[in-house]
Amino acid sequence: MWFQVDRTISKTLTQQVYEQLRQHILNGDLKTNEKLPSTRELADLLGVSRNICLDVYDQLAAEGYLIIRPKSGSFVAPGSLFQNNKVNQQINNKEQFSEDPQDMIDFKAATPAMDHFPRKIWGRLAKDVCEGSPETIFGYQSAEGILSLREEISRYIFRTRGVRSEPHQVIITSGATQALFLLTELLIQNNKLVAVEDPVTDEMRTIFSYAGASLCPIPVDDKGINPDGLSQENPPAFIFILPSHQFPMGVTLTIQRRIQLIHYARQHNCYIVEDDYDSEFTYEGTPVHSVQGLDPEKVIYVGTFSKILSPGLRIGYVVLPQDLIEPFKKMKWYTDRHHSSLEQLILTRFMNEGHFDRHIRKMKRIYKQRREALVNSLKSQFPDCVILGHAAGMHLVVEIPQVDYHQSLMNWIQKYGVKIYSVDQYSLVKNTHRNKVVLGYGSLSIEKIEKGVRRLKEAIDGYTEYTTKRESTTER
Ligand SMILES: Cc1ncc(COP(=O)(O)O)c(C=O)c1O
């Protein structure tokens, strides 16, 4: 049971304790027949007088929420569960800490700055494309996508990432998500094993499992995925890697390990699938080239416009070795025919007329400022914290000494109007990263970032105080 009272607001302490206990009963946090702490214990925990707790228990018993059994305690009465009670939820929302979703500061990673989508230019190009394109564009097109866009992408990824491709190897997909799903279906036909970095994004690994793969977790350390963890006896169909900015740990895969991975793939005749989701945004040093550039026959490169522009566009692409092109196109066709031709043409113009490069430069500045604000706030609120990973992308990992992000702390933190994500939730092998959290800053303004970190500090301090009090009460 987590709640606090606030002496700075106008509600009486009795009212606050009553409303919060009642809410815990109604929404099932306190289960039927569960024993409540004694009035003395609760009073100690909350730092209020015992009379307040006696009054509240009497009131709740009178209303039928509690059964008071003399000499044995107070218990939740059967039939008191009533979930989704919006009215009660509002009453329970404290004035001090907002659980209002509108006010929640959500450090979810991989969410770009939607407030900076180039609406005006995109809108103008959309109008031009719609009014000026030939009639055929409104009919079915081929599965691989519009050639002019594939040419633009092929040039762009060579120039910025050293990816070696001919436009016919580039297939437009509905985001990296579809590319990865179709690739899995295609590549696991004879071998269901897929090696994934551990930790890794839960969404991506679910895509593989959903397509029928069995996952082999390979640990990530400060040099990236460790190829020594790959099985020599049972090699996977492919190894999924995020080499430029591992998610969530943020490390860049060293060249030695890249070479080691390629040797492994050649020796065991498997593929490497390289997901290059946010490599445009590097704030220190120069971006490292793709792994695909080292061996285009063994490495399949997956890219997306979700982070640079918007996930709402649903445009991604895959660069395939020659022998996978035709089977992949067939799967794409039978999945959804092809991606929207109009959207593809708008994006082609956006890239071709130089808006794309300008947009990336602008967003890089914005994300860099947001990252700096987050790092500075963390260092000022938690001077001992350690920021992990390469300065890139839209998220970072932070370790705050002595803080273990177990579920009850995560729940507690949310009550302060801030949402963070533990690295452990992305781990396949659990309990290896319990002291680290991922903080995404892409979609948060500097003001929100600073406020969010202040709330985090208040939450962690509040929790420490609460557990100390609870321990001393139990000892007595
Ligand atoms: C590792 C990774 N790659 C790619 C993506 C982008 O997916 P999509 O292009 O389908 O939006 C995400 C989305 O969060 C991601 O976490």
Side-chain angles (χ1 to χ4, degrees), residues 110 174-178 180 201 203-204 240 242 247 275 277 303-307 311 314-316:
S174 174
T177 302
Q178 188 186 44
L180 293 171
T201 114
E203 286 173 6
M204 295 297 137
F240 175 66
L242 302 153
F247 188 94
D275 180 350
Y277 67 109
T304 180
F305 291 91
S306 289
K307 312 294 160 186
R314 306 305 311 129
I315 308 184

Side-chain angles (χ1 to χ4, degrees), residues 68-80:
I68 299 178
R69 298 197 184 108
K71 295 210 177 99
S72 83
S74 305
F75 299 82
V76 177
S80 310

